[in-house]
Structure formats: C-alpha cells, structure tokens
Amino acid sequence: MSTREIGSSPRQRTRQLQVGAVAVGGGAPVTVQSMCNTDTRDVAATLTQIAALVAAGCEIVRVAVPDAEAAAALPALVRGCSVPLVADIHFDYRLALQALTAGVACLRINPGNIGARWKVAEVVAACRERAVPIRIGVNGGSLEKSLLEKHGHASAAALVESALGHIRILEDLDYPQLKVSLKASDVPRTLAAYRQLAGQVDYPLHIGITEAGTTWAGTIKSAVGLGALLCDGLGDTLRVSLTGDPVEEVRVGWQILKAAGLRQRGPVFVSCPTCGRCQIDLIPLAEEVERRLAGLRLPLTIAVMGCVVNGPGEAREADLGIAGGRDVGLLFRQGQVLRRLPQAQLADALVAEALALERELLAAQGH
C-alpha cells in the first residue's frame, strides 16, 4: 500500500472487555457499530439488514427489544448474526433476562431505570454467569427528572452525574464489566460530557452524537464530534446515528476512523476540489472511480487529480492515480507513469489497474 504516513492519536487507556469475540477498550481497535431500524420481531427483515451492515463493515449490531415478542425473536437473530448482537432494553428487567437466555453478547440497559435493586441484581447475576457486559447508555433526551430539576437542563454535568449513578449501582454489585456512552444531540455538550467522565473512570467509552440528523447533516455533525473525541484519544467503540439507512452509519463510521488515522478498511480516495485550472471533467470522473472501487479490500490510496499544480505530486504519492490535463490524463502506479490516456479511457484504466494491484498484493499475502 501507499507509503503515506498514517497518524495515530494517543489513546486513553481503558479497561478491556469482550463483546462476544470483539475486544472493546484496553488498546483494542476502535470498533464500528450500528443499530437495526427493522422491527426486531420480523426475523427475516432484521437478518437481511444485519447482513448488509456486516458487509459494510459493521462489527457489533444492536437491536431494539421493546416487548416479549421482540425478545422471543432474539434466539433466531443470534444464530443468524455473524457479529456480536446487543439487546437494547429499557425499564423491563424480564426482557433483559430473556435476551441473556437467547445468547446476546451485550446488554444496553441503564440499571437505574429498571426498578428495584433486586431486579438489577437478577440481571447482573445472569450477566455474570454468561460473562456478558452491560452498556450504560445516558442520553440527553431521556435524563432522570431529578437531574433535570437539579441542573436545569440536560447539561454535560447532568449527563456525567447520571452515568456515575448507574455505574455505582453496578460497582456496588461488584460487576465492572461495563462500557458507557453519554450522548447529546449537539457536539459541545457531548464533547464536554465525555471529557469530564474520562477524567473520573477508566471504563471503555462508546461514543456517538445522538439523533445527529439526516444523512448529510448528521454525517457532518458526527464527523466533527467523533473526530474531536478520537483525536483526544477518547473512544473505544462508536456509532454514527443518522436518520436514514443504517448502512450509511457504518460507512461514515469507517470514514471517520480512516480520517483520524486510527483504522483502515478499503481504499483511501484523494481528489482535488477543482478550480479554474482544471481541464478535464473531474467531478463525474472522481465519483465514478470511487463508486467502482468501493469494494476494494485493501487500503490502497487512489488519487484522482485535475491539474498540473498538485496533480502529479499527489498521483505519484498514491498507490495509483491519474493527473489530468487538457482532455487527457497521466496514469500513475506507485510513482511511475504508466501511460497517457484520453479522458474517456481514464476511469476504466484506473479501475483495471487498481483491481490488478489488489490481486497481486493479496496473492503475495497468500490470499
């Protein structure tokens, strides 16, 4: 792959726990999660969506469990899911017990909102028996009434106080197998909350901006918020929350990790923003190349550049690239010019070279 330097952020060291076969925290790679928006009771539809999420790179999948019928679907979902499955449960401890019996890899449940202490103790005992961790998920939209009255609104301090209260319940039951999220729908509160909590506990952090918005706006908000946390060294697993296809959440999550220099999956695209010097129709060309090479397995750096100022340099630095001129372009492979081509042939040539290079590299690796 390209010799470009990939930066890395110093990670805050957290405890490590296992969500099924996936390690979270303790220096493990930051994992990408998503949540199904299908009706959990519809096993076929949910498994179809899980398969699409996994194909896009999702490493942990969460499903809502609002009632006993949804809980009854969990055994089939666990059997059909190739990655760890998390059950998202509120209020009813019996649903948590059903989910654990079904074999889920993690519970998302706030100990403070499922009633009497003995109910929490039953859930913890069942988790302990199966070595299943609990995610405490504090959300600005569902904060305890007492904390809203105390703080006046769902402030960062209120989110942290809520999380610490839930954490204490599990610590009193001697069950530290937990991870924590503190999500608000805006970036400043979310950043402040995670930064405050990180100074007080060493549990793994699940990061995200809740209810971030539609795909376009939510992607920007999530990139700003999660990018800032990751560059602070905070975050052990993430979910991008978008109003749209959850597959897009996974794609955005991976792009954020790639931009932060933390993980690589699939190609890295470099393309210029175009200006008055551009002499080829670069925008559709770049979009076509990105679309056709989205399925590459290796993190090849692909440059699609449109003029003689930065184009040749970027193309030479990439594994593969094209640098455009007047209706023509140069095709580069690992710094060497392969040939000069008319614009109409550039996309096909670049895609063919990329696929060939990946085959060579995979063969060399024994795949």
Side-chain angles (χ1 to χ4, degrees):
M1 275 70 75
S2 171
T3 56
R4 282 175 186 271
E5 294 183 3
I6 300 295
S8 61
S9 304
R11 313 301 303 151
Q12 173 165 303
R13 199 71 175 183
T14 56
R15 306 184 191 198
Q16 188 168 101
L17 52 80
Q18 288 293 135
V19 179
V22 176
V24 175
V30 181
T31 51
V32 176
Q33 301 192 24
S34 186
M35 185 173 183
C36 290
N37 60 9
T38 53
D39 184 338
T40 306
R41 294 164 293 196
D42 186 339
V43 172
T46 303
L47 286 177
T48 297
Q49 188 169 77
I50 287 173
L53 291 169
V54 172
C58 187
E59 296 167 300
I60 299 173
V61 175
R62 181 159 48 112
V63 294
V65 186
D67 56 31
E69 189 179 350
L74 290 174
L77 295 178
V78 170
R79 287 193 301 271
C81 185
S82 62
V83 298
L85 193 70
V86 180
D88 189 294
I89 292 164
H90 293 275
F91 310 122
D92 191 341
Y93 82 104
R94 293 169 297 183
L95 298 178
L97 295 176
Q98 281 184 263
L100 291 166
T101 301
V104 298
C106 182
L107 290 180
R108 192 275 194 180
I109 186 167
N110 288 347
N113 75 10
I114 60 172
R117 182 183 174 88
W118 66 266
K119 296 179 180 179
V120 182
E122 280 202 31
V123 173
V124 168
C127 286
R128 195 190 314 274
E129 181 182 344
R130 297 167 175 81
V132 170
I134 293 171
R135 173 160 81 88
I136 292 171
V138 176
N139 192 303
S142 56
L143 212 57
E144 298 96 311
K145 184 178 179 181
S146 60
L147 291 177
L148 291 174
E149 292 173 349
K150 176 180 177 180
H151 292 272
H153 68 109
S155 64
L159 293 171
V160 172
E161 186 172 344
S162 176
L164 290 173
H166 293 301
I167 288 169
R168 278 192 295 272
I169 293 171
L170 294 183
E171 288 180 338
D172 289 346
L173 291 168
D174 192 27
Y175 200 67
Q177 296 299 307
L178 62 96
K179 50 182 175 159
V180 188
S181 65
L182 303 129
K183 298 183 182 181
S185 58
D186 62 89
V187 170
R189 268 190 306 157
T190 302
L191 296 182
Y194 278 109
R195 288 165 176 165
Q196 288 176 33
L197 185 68
Q200 300 181 60
V201 301
D202 65 351
Y203 296 111
L205 296 177
H206 170 102
I207 60 174
I209 308 296
T210 193
E211 296 128 14
T214 56
T215 301
W216 185 80
T219 292
I220 294 170
K221 188 186 292 186
S222 296
V224 171
L226 300 189
L229 289 171
L230 292 168
C231 290
D232 277 354
L234 302 178
D236 300 288
T237 183
L238 64 82
R239 182 213 173 175
V240 175
S241 298
L242 302 176
T243 305
D245 185 347
V247 168
E248 289 302 311
E249 298 183 350
V250 178
R251 292 174 177 155
V252 173
W254 274 104
Q255 289 298 326
I256 292 171
L257 289 178
K258 287 161 70 173
L262 292 173
R263 293 188 70 184
Q264 294 295 325
R265 183 182 189 275
V268 178
F269 290 101
V270 177
S271 60
C272 66
T274 74
C275 68
R277 290 186 295 266
C278 188
Q279 295 180 303
I280 63 172
D281 195 7
L282 189 73
I283 294 173
L285 175 60
E287 290 175 345
E288 179 184 354
V289 169
E290 184 175 40
R291 175 180 56 79
R292 292 174 63 182
L293 293 180
L296 286 178
R297 293 165 58 185
L298 298 180
L300 301 177
T301 299
I302 310 292
V304 182
M305 305 299 293
C307 78
V308 297
V309 177
N310 296 319
E314 287 287 350
R316 286 193 182 96
E317 284 291 309
D319 294 298
L320 290 162
I322 50 178
R326 187 183 297 275
D327 298 322
V328 298
L330 297 177
L331 176 65
F332 291 84
R333 174 168 164 163
Q334 296 176 325
Q336 301 299 314
V337 176
L338 296 181
R339 52 191 178 276
R340 178 188 178 98
L341 295 163
Q343 177 178 318
Q345 298 176 23
L346 287 172
D348 287 343
L350 181 55
V351 168
E353 288 293 335
L355 295 175
L357 178 57
E358 181 173 69
R359 284 194 298 270
E360 291 174 20
L361 293 171
L362 289 172
Q365 296 171 11
H367 296 290

